[in-house]
Structures are given as C-alpha cells and as structure tokens.
C-alpha cells in the first residue's frame, strides 16, 4: 500500500521530545511532509538551533518510519529550528527579542564577562540571532573581549523622528556597552540613577531588531542595575556564574536568591562553574583544583537548578579574551568545545523554561 501523510504523522506521534515530554506531532514540530513512493521527507522544527539532542531526535524519527510505516522507506529528516519565547507578542519594549537572559555572579572576578562573551558567540555560531548588553556600567569588559576598544556606534533617525543607536556587530553578535561611548581610560563615576538610565537607554534606544537571545552581562552585586532590568523588561531567565571557592559561592547564592524573591520571580536557568580546575597546556589531562572542588555543583543541587557546565581555568581562555578573539572562535580547541556544550545546555534550559513555566512579569515599581 502507498505511504500516506497520515501514516507518517501517526508514526511520528510516537517520537517524544526528550526535554518537553510530549510527542513531536502534539508539539507541532513536524512540517512539510512529502511523499514520493518510498521517499519520505519532512521537517522537524527544533526549539533552538543549539539543540544538543539533534542526532537523538533525527534517529528516533527514522526508526519510527521504518518500524511503523515501511522498513524500506528512504527517510530524509530536515532539522531546522524556530526559537521559542514566553514573551507576549505585543511587547512594547524589545518587541523583536524572543528571550532576555540575565547573566549574574554576585561576586566580581569570577569570569562572568568571559563566559557571557563566549556564550553569545557560541549561540550565534549555531545560527541564532544574538545580542549582548554590557550592563556593567562602571567596569565594561565587552569592548576589550571583542577587540572593539576604538569602535563607536552610529546614531540614526527613524521615519518617526526617533533617534536610535545602531549596535556594533562582531562574530555575529550585536553589542552595546558604555565602553563604546566613553574613553577607555576614563573612570565612569555615576550614582545608581545615572547607571540605571544608561541601561534603560541600551534597552529602549538601541535598534536591536529581531533577536532569538539578548544576553545581559550584569555587574557584580545585587544593585540598582538588577532592579532596573527586571522593572523594565520581563526577563526570560537568569544564569549564575561562580567559581568553586566558598567566598564566590556565598555571593553567587545571594545573586540567585535575588531573582527568586517573590516580587521579582525570574526563573533561574542554572549555574555555570567557571575556573572549575586548572589544566596546564602541557598537561591537558591534569586537573588542579585551585579554587576548591564541586562548589558549583553543590550550589546547583542546593537550589535544585541544573549545573550547566564546568569551565576549566585554561591560559588560552584568558589570552584569547585579552586579544579580542574569545576562545569559542578558536575552532577545534578543547576550550571552544566546552563553551559549545555550555551554550547548548543554556539553549536547552531556555526552551524547557518557555514550555513549562509561566511568563515572567515586569516588576512593578513600589514606593
């Protein structure tokens, strides 16, 4: 008997999306089913181009067709993606941005900006549209990390007469930082309201366009900047970056708990442990736990969130950041592979959050 579209969809209704716990047909992830004799083709719309389960889903689809439709079928599975969002379609601010991700640490000096820069580029390299706001107003790092210390953004006027800043783009990431607007050797000594005003400008007066992910590199602590962010836009989720040492974990825990306060209520997507161990380049299999061992894992387990990855203290990660070519751009290196894996886990947790958690609400101003 000839293969029908109904046969194909019936078979694929037994293929489950591992993270979401429902089948691909129910989740409307199957499109463009085509049949020509024994040739069967269809598209699977993944929830992110950084999906770490691509091969698993592909193989399960082929197996379902061979088992339930025809063992001789020639199956062509086209894996594509459409990044999900939990934001309202009529969002007034950042209407073209699907996911807004705050990356915080609590403590300075744990490599949060290094992690953020590499994550942004890693997501962009999968095909996602990515933006990055350097919200550390007093200590901006992104111009250095991206090799853009001397770059200055352009301002243009919309047909409605509004002035907008055009973000600077490099490595496929749209960037905005106070470091682009002030001389690099000048200290920015601003009170909280001025810093908050700058963040609001980066959010509402920059032409971000269509983005799958907008990463916000937060300053240390739990300050005005953090409150301004959650009072301005609904944040999809927060990532917590820490080192394994006790003093860093204490501050990371405060940062995590800030997002979980009832009046803020931003989902914590997971913990990233940076400088998890030291690995000398001449001894790539060795691990020296300079800052302690297992602190990030313990923090994640205590607060029942995923440990999204452990990034070693490797000299090349520091060197490439200083040179303006983050480690993720060095293809084929162990450091690049680690950041690729962490980016996949981050994208995965965002997709899960969008499927199971309610929309984040903008925090209302109280006096």
């Amino acid at each position: 008997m000839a293969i029908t579209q109904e046969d194909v969809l019936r078979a694929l209704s037994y293929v489950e999306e591992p993270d979401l716990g429902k089948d691909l047909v129910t989740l409307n992830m199957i499109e463009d089913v085509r049949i020509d004799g024994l040739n069967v083709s269809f598209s699977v719309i993944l929830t992110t181009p950084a999906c770490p389960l691509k091969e698993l889903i592909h193989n399960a689809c082929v197996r379902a067709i061979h088992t339930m439709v025809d063992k001789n079928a020639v199956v062509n599975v086209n894996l594509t993606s459409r990044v999900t969002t939990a934001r309202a379609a009529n969002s007034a601010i950042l209407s073209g941005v699907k996911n807004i991700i705050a990356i915080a640490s609590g403590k300075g000096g744990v490599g949060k900006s290094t992690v953020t820069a590499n994550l942004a580029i890693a997501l962009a390299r999968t095909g996602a549209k990515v933006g990055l706001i350097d919200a550390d107003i007093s200590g901006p790092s992104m111009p250095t990390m991206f090799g853009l210390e001397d770059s200055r953004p352009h301002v243009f006027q919309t047909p409605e007469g509004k002035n907008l800043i055009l973000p600077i783009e490099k490595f496929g990431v749209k960037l905005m930082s106070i470091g682009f607007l002030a001389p690099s050797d000048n200290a920015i000594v601003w009170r909280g309201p001025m810093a908050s005003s700058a963040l609001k400008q980066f959010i509402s007066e920059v032409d971000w366009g269509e983005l799958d992910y907008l990463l916000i590199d937060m300053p240390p602590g739990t300050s005005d900047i953090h409150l301004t962010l959650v009072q301005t836009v609904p944040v999809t989720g927060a990532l917590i970056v820490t080192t394994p040492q006790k003093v860093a974990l204490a501050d990371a825990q405060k940062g995590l708990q800030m997002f979980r306060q009832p009046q803020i209520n931003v989902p914590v997507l997971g913990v990233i442990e940076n400088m998890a161990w030291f690995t000398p380049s001449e001894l790539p299999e060795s691990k020296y736990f300079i800052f302690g061992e297992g602190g990030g894992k313990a923090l994640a387990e205590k607060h029942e969130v995923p440990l999204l990855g452990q990034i070693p203290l490797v000299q090349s990660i520091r060197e490439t950041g200083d040179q303006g070519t983050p480690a993720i751009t060095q293809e084929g290196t162990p450091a690049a592979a680690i950041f690729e894996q962490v980016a996949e886990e981050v994208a995965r947790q965002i997709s899960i959050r969008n499927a199971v958690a309610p929309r984040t609400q903008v925090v209302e101003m109280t006096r």
Side-chain angles (χ1 to χ4, degrees):
M1 294 180 62
I3 299 173
T4 66
Q5 179 172 312
E6 289 72 22
D7 295 333
V8 172
L9 292 176
R10 188 180 305 111
L12 295 177
S13 70
Y14 287 89
V15 179
E16 186 176 272
E17 209 288 342
D19 287 327
L20 305 183
K22 295 181 180 179
D23 69 88
L24 302 184
V25 176
T26 298
L27 292 169
N28 295 317
M29 294 174 66
I30 304 298
E31 292 184 1
D32 197 26
V33 178
R34 297 174 184 240
I35 301 161
D36 182 11
L38 289 176
N39 296 306
V40 177
S41 67
F42 51 87
S43 295
V44 179
I45 314 299
L46 302 174
T47 55
T48 170
C51 178
L53 305 173
K54 290 179 182 178
E55 186 174 352
L56 179 67
I57 293 172
H58 176 279
N59 294 340
C61 288
V62 174
R63 187 164 55 250
I65 299 299
H66 284 163
T67 302
M68 304 185 67
V69 179
D70 193 316
K71 65 180 180 180
N72 296 315
V74 179
V75 185
N76 178 31
V77 184
N78 175 36
L79 294 176
T80 184
S81 64
R82 188 180 299 129
V83 175
T84 59
T85 181
R87 298 194 65 203
N90 58 349
S91 302
I93 300 177
L94 297 176
S95 59
V97 178
K98 291 183 177 180
N99 297 287
I100 302 167
I101 310 299
I103 303 181
S105 62
K107 184 180 183 300
V110 300
K112 170 184 51 60
S113 294
T114 297
V115 171
T116 302
N118 280 281
L119 278 181
I121 298 171
L123 289 169
R125 288 165 71 92
T126 68
K129 298 175 183 176
V130 182
L132 198 169
I133 292 178
D134 187 354
D136 193 349
I137 303 300
S138 60
S141 301
M142 292 306 162
T144 298
M145 298 247 173
F146 281 78
L148 295 168
E149 294 98 326
D150 299 322
S151 298
R152 298 291 179 265
H154 297 289
V155 177
F156 70 98
Q157 195 170 72
T158 67
E160 294 77 27
K162 181 179 181 181
N163 289 330
L164 289 180
I165 301 171
L166 193 65
I168 295 172
E169 187 167 347
K170 190 170 182 182
F171 303 126
V173 177
K174 293 181 178 180
L175 294 158
M176 193 60 220
S177 170
I178 196 69
F180 296 144
L181 305 176
S184 59
D185 54 353
N186 282 16
I188 299 173
V189 187
W190 287 353
R191 292 188 183 275
M194 290 183 67
S196 295
S197 178
L199 176 60
K200 288 181 180 179
Q201 185 177 15
F202 292 168
I203 290 172
S204 61
E205 297 181 28
V206 174
D207 182 23
W208 291 109
E210 301 289 327
L211 294 178
D212 295 315
Y213 307 103
L214 177 61
L215 307 187
I216 317 288
D217 184 30
M218 306 300 293
T222 51
S223 63
D224 287 351
I225 289 290
H226 299 73
L227 293 176
T228 297
L229 177 64
V230 299
Q231 289 173 341
T232 305
V233 291
V235 179
T236 305
L239 301 173
I240 306 298
V241 178
T242 185
T243 58
Q245 68 190 111
K246 187 175 181 180
V247 67
L249 293 167
D251 288 345
Q253 180 165 263
K254 293 172 185 175
L256 188 152
Q257 293 287 46
M258 179 201 70
F259 287 109
R260 283 190 163 178
Q261 288 186 24
Q263 65 269 37
I264 294 178
N265 196 29
V266 170
V268 176
L269 302 172
V271 171
I272 299 172
E273 186 182 80
N274 194 30
M275 308 183 206
W277 57 79
F278 171 59
T279 297
S281 57
E282 65 273 14
L283 297 170
E285 301 302 319
S286 298
K287 295 181 179 179
Y288 300 92
F289 297 92
I290 295 174
F291 296 110
E293 184 177 359
K297 181 179 180 182
L299 179 69
E301 290 178 348
K302 177 180 179 179
H303 295 281
E304 299 181 329
V305 298
L307 178 65
L308 301 176
Q310 294 175 295
I311 301 167
L313 178 60
V314 179
Q315 184 174 338
S316 63
I317 295 178
R318 193 274 305 165
E319 289 176 339
T320 54
D322 286 350
Q323 293 164 3
T325 54
I328 186 65
T329 65
Q330 315 300 308
E331 292 187 29
T333 63
I338 290 169
F339 283 115
E340 287 170 0
Q341 293 169 8
V342 175
E344 287 178 349
E345 284 303 313
V346 168
R348 179 182 184 185
Q349 292 304 319
I350 293 170
S351 295
I352 295 172
R353 175 260 179 276
N354 288 341
V356 303
R359 289 176 179 163
T360 307
Q361 302 298 316
V362 173
V363 176
E364 296 295 329
M365 295 286 289
T366 58
R367 296 186 183 274

